[in-house]
């Protein structure tokens, strides 16, 4: 059990809850038995015989039962023969439950559950057996559900005496909270979840156990926030008429209301003497980079340095290019004639030795106020003059360790701003990023255009696909550009850019759809020979050399390439305002949030965007419904809810949260919004009142169990 299900103690076992419950159901007459269904029958044993086979090595018990309306055969094999052989003597009356199958054209039950009935057993006993709820546990090959149930039954002891077995349990919920919210006691909840008499029992038990999980987790996060607030940090207040003022004066547009509001929240945090921990959520294209850049300039004004961490080289180069463009001559600090300004350096793994040496020198002397890089920034060699702010782009692609390593580069903990374009529903933000304050940018900057999205059913309606390529040509003819996105690169199915990594686990129709996902290399070749033959088509994927990637992106941005056929390397941050059309091949192989991210690459300029989701899936399939949802709304928060409902939260929340994720058993992050919000309030109040939890010893113990080594580290780094 310990190895396969991670159950080591009696407590672990009691908190291994049933996944669902089977009902034995109504009693059935033998003459009315339906095939392939679970039935419960009451009958008398007419005959029982043991047969041997395989030269006497194998044994089979055949029992014939009758209820007056018909006869039925039961079979038991191997070691399962002993108990029924001794208990099911001819003349014995018993109840049997199992699935009806056919063997030799006769109906039978193989290895049914049974309960013998004494002469005095009345209708009540029969009814109770028939309607009993049977818990089914998350199991594995080495440990079947019924073996887990036996182990739990051993711990709970005889029915009606469970309270004694559960008396010593540590209850993490303070009595006042439990009574105030009308929740069951812990022993009652555990008894009802493992041995429910009714469905109401199950609901009561789950309500209570959800509270345990939400509350203990929120207490851990509340203590984390409190500990962070105690850390020292250098306040970073921008000087008046400094770099930030000069930058704002250069802007050719005014900031949106949202950008101004979020900037104020960030500057208020930066001015305090403990580190900012803020999560900046913003739809694709809502102007997060502008907000982050203003924060970085403010820190440089205050004499510090700012680092921006990007998940890929393509994205780091992109940020470097767009930030130096936005800053203009202000990015030429240290050069002759530039009174105001600061150096903006790029640091990636594939840089040449000389350029890298210069970048490292600029950082350690403080010549460079802003550095943009990949996790090359985290290496031991990289030293800062005075690191004041770390901006992490696309948090879900960064491990907590990496965030932490960069944080340790400052003389004091630097301020931290985490940006994500994946809209995170409020409950998830409260559960996973509970130690970060959240800011949301929910309006698009002026001049952004809406994106029209359509599903293209290539198999049902091939002429739709033909029309899709015509639309791409029309966009190019109008002076615009387009993307074609494919799930993989081409020479091997398990390669980078394989959408299945970010998508939901394969559904039955995906399994049925045996052809490998479409590949960049093949699709590009077909397009250049076929429907886009006279256009300038180029490919971009993760296996290309960094210089080649950068060259393609630069030429695409400069308008020298009409159509870019790419993997999801373009998913994050690629900004080409002239690109207006996107065709996503095998769109069903991508997750909902991923499709939304990809779509955000078009419509970034003044011309309207178009996104075509191409699929071979049949009309009634769940995959088509998912694509329909993406086509129907541009609201990322709505889509992220759909995404979470359609697959396990763990996939969406990413690996960085593994410690906390593994502790959630009954709490569903999306459905239990009210519980999580209420638990957060209660937790905050208790921690504010008693930070060390001296008055709550049971809660402390539960917290220590949640924060075993791995999780303690997770929360410390989070």
């Amino acid at each position: 059990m310990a190895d396969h299900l991670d159950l080591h103690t009696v407590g672990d076992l009691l908190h291994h809850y049933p996944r669902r419950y089977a009902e034995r159901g109504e009693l059935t007459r033998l003459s009315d038995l339906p095939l392939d269904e679970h039935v419960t029958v009451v009958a008398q044993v007419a005959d029982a015989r043991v047969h041997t086979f395989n030269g006497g090595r194998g044994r089979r018990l055949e029992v014939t039962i009758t209820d007056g309306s018909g006869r039925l055969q039961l079979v038991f094999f191997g070691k399962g023969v002993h108990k029924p052989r001794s208990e099911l003597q001819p003349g014995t009356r018993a109840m049997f439950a199992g699935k009806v199958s056919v063997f030799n054209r006769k109906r039978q039950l193989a290895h049914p559950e049974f309960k013998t009935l004494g002469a005095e057993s009345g209708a009540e006993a029969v009814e109770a057996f028939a309607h009993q709820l049977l818990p089914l546990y998350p199991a594995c090959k080495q440990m079947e559900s019924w073996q887990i149930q036996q182990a739990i039954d051993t711990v709970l002891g005889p029915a009606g005496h469970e309270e004694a077995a559960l008396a010593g349990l540590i209850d993490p919920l303070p009595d006042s909270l439990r009574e105030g919210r009308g929740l069951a006691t812990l022993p009652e909840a555990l008894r009802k979840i493992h041995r429910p008499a009714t469905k109401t029992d199950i609901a009561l038990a789950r309500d209570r156990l959800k509270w345990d999980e939400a509350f203990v987790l929120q207490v851990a996060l509340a203590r984390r926030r409190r500990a962070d607030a105690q850390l020292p940090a250098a306040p970073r207040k921008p000087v008046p008429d400094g770099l930030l003022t000069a930058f704002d004066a250069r802007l050719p547009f005014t900031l949106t209301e949202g950008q101004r509001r979020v900037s104020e929240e960030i500057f208020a945090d930066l001015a305090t003497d403990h580190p900012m921990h803020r999560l900046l959520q913003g739809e694709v294209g809502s102007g997060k980079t502008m907000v982050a850049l203003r924060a970085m300039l403010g820190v440089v004004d205050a004499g510090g340095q700012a680092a921006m961490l990007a998940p890929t080289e393509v994205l780091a180069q992109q940020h470097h290019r767009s930030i130096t463009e936005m800053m203009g001559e202000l990015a030429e600090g240290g050069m002759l004639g530039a009174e105001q300004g600061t150096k903006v350096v790029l640091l990636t793994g594939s840089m040449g030795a000389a350029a890298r040496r210069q970048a490292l020198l600029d950082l350690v002397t403080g010549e460079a106020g802003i550095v943009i890089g990949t996790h090359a920034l985290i290496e031991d060699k990289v030293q800062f003059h005075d690191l004041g702010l770390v901006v992490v782009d696309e948090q879900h692609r960064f491990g907590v360790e990496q965030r932490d390593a960069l944080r340790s580069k400052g003389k004091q903990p630097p301020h931290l701003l985490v940006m994500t374009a994946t809209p995170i529903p409020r409950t998830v933000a409260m559960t996973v990023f509970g130690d970060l304050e959240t800011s949301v940018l929910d309006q698009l900057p002026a001049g952004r255009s809406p994106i029209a999205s359509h599903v293209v059913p290539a198999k049902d309606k091939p002429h739709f696909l033909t029309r899709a390529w015509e639309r791409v040509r029309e966009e190019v003819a109008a002076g615009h550009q387009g993307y074609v996105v494919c799930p993989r690169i081409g020479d091997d199915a398990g390669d980078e850019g394989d959408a299945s990594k970010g998508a939901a686990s394969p559904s039955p129709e995906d399994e049925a759809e045996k052809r490998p996902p479409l590949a960049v290399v093949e699709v590009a070749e077909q397009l250049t020979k076929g429907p886009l033959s006279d256009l300038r088509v180029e490919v971009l994927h993760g296996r290309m050399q960094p210089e080649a990637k950068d060259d393609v992106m630069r030429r695409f941005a400069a308008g020298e390439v009409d159509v870019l056929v790419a993997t999801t390397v373009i998913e994050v941050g690629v900004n080409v305002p002239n690109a207006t059309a996107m065709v996503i091949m095998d769109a069903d192989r991508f997750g909902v949030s991923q499709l939304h991210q990809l779509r955000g690459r078009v419509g970034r300029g003044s011309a309207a965007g178009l996104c075509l989701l191409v699929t071979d899936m049949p009309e009634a399939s769940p995959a088509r419904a998912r694509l329909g949802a993406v086509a129907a709304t541009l609201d990322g928060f709505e889509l992220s809810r759909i995404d979470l409902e359609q697959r396990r939260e763990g996939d969406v929340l990413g690996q960085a949260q593994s410690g906390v994720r593994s502790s959630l058993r009954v709490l569903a992050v999306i459905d239990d919004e009210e519980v999580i919000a209420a638990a957060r309030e209660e937790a905050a109040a208790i921690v504010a009142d008693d930070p060390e939890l001296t008055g709550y010893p049971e809660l402390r113990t539960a917290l220590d169990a949640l924060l075993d080594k791995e999780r303690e580290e997770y929360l410390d780094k989070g």
Side-chain angles (χ1 to χ4, degrees):
M1 258 204 210
D3 294 349
H4 299 293
L5 292 167
D6 199 22
L7 304 177
H8 302 270
T9 65
V10 167
D12 290 344
L13 186 62
L14 288 172
H15 289 291
H16 187 72
Y17 308 131
R19 191 184 47 202
R20 60 187 184 87
Y21 299 83
E23 244 181 309
R24 287 207 180 100
E26 298 290 329
L27 294 175
T28 315
R29 285 159 50 93
L30 291 185
S31 55
D32 305 335
L33 288 183
L35 257 186
D36 279 339
E37 281 189 27
H38 285 275
V39 297
T40 306
V41 297
V42 174
Q44 197 162 16
V45 177
D47 183 37
R49 296 173 189 208
V50 175
H51 301 269
T52 57
F53 54 94
N54 267 359
R57 288 194 302 280
R59 309 176 72 199
R60 179 175 81 246
L61 171 67
E62 289 180 1
V63 178
T64 307
I65 57 171
T66 175
D67 69 347
S69 73
R71 290 165 86 82
L72 179 67
Q73 191 162 51
L74 319 176
V75 287
F76 300 87
F77 293 96
K79 291 184 181 150
V81 163
H82 304 304
K83 183 173 183 270
R85 187 183 181 188
S86 62
E87 294 186 16
L88 297 179
Q89 299 293 329
T92 306
R93 190 161 158 269
M95 286 178 286
F96 305 90
K99 192 174 177 181
V100 184
S101 57
V102 168
F103 181 71
N104 276 347
R105 291 192 296 201
K106 278 194 195 152
R107 293 180 186 207
Q108 68 169 29
L109 296 182
H111 284 278
E113 294 178 73
F114 65 89
K115 184 175 183 185
T116 56
L117 297 169
E120 70 293 339
S121 292
E124 293 86 8
V126 172
E127 276 299 304
F129 175 87
H131 288 288
Q132 191 179 345
L133 290 159
L134 305 169
L136 297 175
Y137 290 90
C140 62
K141 202 161 71 195
Q142 293 78 4
M143 195 77 191
E144 296 282 2
S145 172
W146 59 271
Q147 292 171 298
I148 296 169
Q149 189 186 350
Q150 279 179 337
I152 288 172
D153 278 345
T154 307
V155 172
L156 291 177
H161 297 278
E162 295 93 349
E163 305 293 328
L166 299 171
L169 282 175
I170 288 166
D171 188 339
L173 288 196
D175 289 345
S176 55
L177 187 161
R178 185 178 56 72
E179 288 157 12
R181 297 205 171 254
L183 297 166
T185 63
L186 189 56
E188 185 190 356
L190 288 171
R191 176 173 61 80
K192 287 185 168 169
I193 201 145
H194 292 298
R195 290 182 175 170
T198 62
K199 289 182 177 162
T200 310
D201 279 358
I202 299 169
L204 279 171
R206 290 179 69 88
D207 284 349
R208 158 63 211 244
L209 297 168
K210 277 177 186 179
W211 254 94
D212 284 12
E213 290 181 9
F215 178 69
V216 175
L217 180 55
Q218 291 300 340
V219 167
L221 291 167
R223 294 186 73 210
R224 222 21 271 149
R225 288 195 298 276
R226 186 187 162 79
D228 282 341
Q230 315 288 319
L231 286 174
R236 309 282 178 172
K237 294 179 184 162
V239 293
D241 299 326
L243 200 50
L244 180 61
T245 314
F247 174 75
D248 284 348
R250 293 186 75 253
L251 283 181
F253 51 81
T254 54
L255 297 175
T256 65
E257 173 59 36
Q259 284 173 315
R260 279 201 297 277
R261 184 192 71 243
V262 171
S263 286
E264 278 165 21
E265 292 171 349
I266 291 171
F267 283 120
D269 282 359
L270 290 172
T272 63
D273 52 13
H274 57 83
M276 163 171 83
H277 290 98
R278 192 167 280 281
L279 174 70
L280 172 55
Q281 289 181 246
E283 277 289 5
V284 172
S286 56
K288 292 185 299 298
T289 312
M290 173 61 70
V291 170
L293 176 55
R294 293 186 73 245
M296 293 197 289
L297 292 172
V299 167
V300 173
D301 265 350
Q305 289 169 296
M308 183 184 248
L309 206 53
T312 63
E313 293 210 354
V314 169
L315 192 53
Q317 286 158 344
Q318 178 92 33
H319 275 317
H320 183 252
R321 201 173 342 180
S322 61
I323 282 175
T324 45
E325 277 168 19
M326 280 195 244
M327 286 175 64
E329 70 271 13
L330 297 176
E332 295 165 7
M335 298 191 186
L336 241 50
E339 296 96 66
Q340 268 189 323
T342 186
K343 248 189 185 179
V344 180
V345 300
L346 177 69
L347 192 63
T348 63
S350 65
M351 283 169 78
R356 185 178 172 76
R357 217 173 13 252
Q358 185 58 51
L360 291 172
L361 188 65
D362 288 342
L363 284 179
V364 78
T365 59
E367 185 85 4
I370 294 178
V371 58
I372 294 153
T374 54
H375 35 259
L377 274 178
I378 296 165
E379 290 173 12
D380 295 340
K381 295 188 197 75
V382 182
Q383 296 299 323
F384 290 84
H385 177 64
D386 179 14
L387 181 60
L389 169 67
V390 175
V391 179
V392 180
D393 192 11
E394 286 305 317
Q395 148 71 12
H396 63 283
R397 294 169 172 246
F398 263 105
V400 199
E401 292 79 8
Q402 292 158 312
R403 222 164 70 177
D404 193 48
L406 193 55
R407 215 191 255 182
S408 66
K409 300 269 184 196
K411 295 188 176 77
Q412 288 187 310
H415 298 280
L416 176 70
L417 179 65
V418 172
M419 301 197 298
T420 177
T422 308
I424 302 167
R426 184 166 152 263
T427 47
V428 180
M430 285 192 299
T431 309
V432 175
F433 301 104
D435 55 339
L436 300 174
E437 298 298 326
T438 306
S439 295
V440 179
L441 275 176
D442 45 14
Q443 59 191 124
L444 293 184
R448 274 300 168 83
S449 302
I451 306 167
S453 306
H454 304 283
V455 179
V456 177
K459 209 167 188 172
D460 305 352
K461 299 176 178 164
H463 59 285
F464 275 36
L465 185 57
T466 312
R467 176 73 188 118
W469 300 126
E470 283 171 15
R471 282 293 290 114
V472 173
R473 300 174 65 91
E474 287 164 17
E475 290 297 314
V476 173
H480 299 303
Q481 294 158 279
Y483 298 99
V484 177
V485 183
C486 305
R488 65 187 185 97
I489 298 171
D491 40 13
D492 110 56
D495 53 23
E496 169 274 334
D498 191 333
S500 54
K501 288 184 187 142
S505 48
S507 59
E509 65 272 15
D510 284 343
E511 294 295 347
E513 186 57 75
K514 285 298 184 215
R515 94 172 150 66
L518 290 170
V520 167
V521 183
E522 295 149 20
V523 169
E525 192 182 336
Q526 288 161 11
L527 292 175
T528 46
K529 287 181 179 164
L532 307 183
S533 57
D534 50 342
L535 301 184
R536 298 169 297 176
V537 177
E538 293 267 2
V539 301
L540 179 71
H541 57 71
R543 290 243 193 87
M544 289 162 63
Q545 288 303 315
E547 305 77 57
K549 269 194 276 196
D550 202 36
D551 177 57
V552 171
M553 267 323 300
R554 192 184 46 68
R555 287 187 295 115
F556 186 63
E560 295 163 23
V561 174
D562 297 321
V563 177
L564 192 60
V565 184
T567 57
T568 52
V569 287
I570 63 148
E571 175 185 355
V572 193
V574 172
N575 183 23
V576 179
N578 191 43
T580 54
M582 176 176 284
V583 180
I584 303 180
M585 308 302 290
D586 278 343
D588 47 273
R589 306 204 184 213
F590 296 88
V592 170
S593 295
Q594 207 175 13
L595 290 169
H596 182 60
Q597 286 275 42
L598 286 165
R599 167 171 67 183
R601 301 297 117 219
V602 294
R604 298 176 78 85
S606 51
L610 171 70
C611 178
L612 302 174
L613 306 167
V614 179
T615 177
D616 280 353
M617 287 291 144
E619 197 167 352
S621 62
R624 276 283 283 281
R626 208 167 63 225
L627 295 180
V630 175
T633 178
L634 289 171
D635 179 345
F637 285 92
E638 176 55 32
L639 288 173
S640 65
R641 278 194 85 93
I642 294 169
D643 207 6
L644 268 173
E645 281 160 10
Q646 290 192 338
R647 48 180 166 142
R648 292 194 323 280
E649 288 138 353
D651 301 343
V652 181
L653 306 182
Q655 291 313 300
Q657 288 72 250
S658 61
V660 165
R661 292 302 311 144
S662 53
S663 66
L664 300 188
R665 295 194 175 99
V666 280
L667 190 71
V669 175
I670 278 290
D671 301 335
D672 298 324
E673 179 162 353
E674 285 166 22
V675 175
I676 291 169
R680 185 179 166 108
E681 272 175 42
E682 296 272 11
I686 280 179
V687 170
D689 185 44
D690 180 0
E692 292 306 309
L693 305 178
T694 37
Y696 304 96
E698 291 94 345
L699 176 55
R700 276 228 62 134
T701 310
L703 207 54
D704 294 341
L706 171 74
L707 306 182
D708 55 31
K709 210 64 213 124
E710 167 201 17
R711 297 178 192 164
E712 184 82 77
E713 281 166 18
Y714 154 70
L715 282 170
D716 276 346
K717 290 172 183 169

